Amino acid sequence: MNGYSIIADNYRHLMEQGKISKEIAEKEIRIYEFLATCDETDKCIMVDSSAFNDIIKAYLRMAVMNAEISEKSQDKVLSQLRWIFDEKQAKEVLRNG
């Protein structure tokens, strides 16, 4: 059992206690059970698929804005992120990051 399995179990308990709806719980359980089966390579494949690029960019954009980095610097950082997404694989980024 790993952390994702524990989270899935927690959602089961919340659903059984009536604290969250069955619809919400089932979706969360499905996702966390899937993640429980993934190793680091699987997660890298998911990131390399670009499925999460917009979310990662939004997090980074928020981080640089909250850090009060100049707009010019923000643009440079976001440009580098786009380039890295296009040119590097997740395993390489993890290894060198």
Side-chain angles (χ1 to χ4, degrees), residues 25-69:
E26 286 177 344
K27 182 169 235 160
E28 297 282 347
I29 291 165
R30 179 175 49 87
I31 296 297
Y32 285 111
E33 283 181 341
F34 167 72
L35 287 171
T37 68
C38 295
D39 61 14
E40 187 169 302
T41 298
D42 297 329
K43 293 174 193 171
C44 287
I45 291 168
M46 285 186 273
V47 170
D48 288 338
S49 76
S50 77
F52 304 104
N53 287 10
D54 290 339
I55 296 167
I56 295 167
K57 285 179 200 173
Y59 271 102
L60 180 62
R61 189 175 298 114
M62 184 178 284
V64 295
M65 288 172 61
N66 290 348
E68 299 179 0
I69 295 171

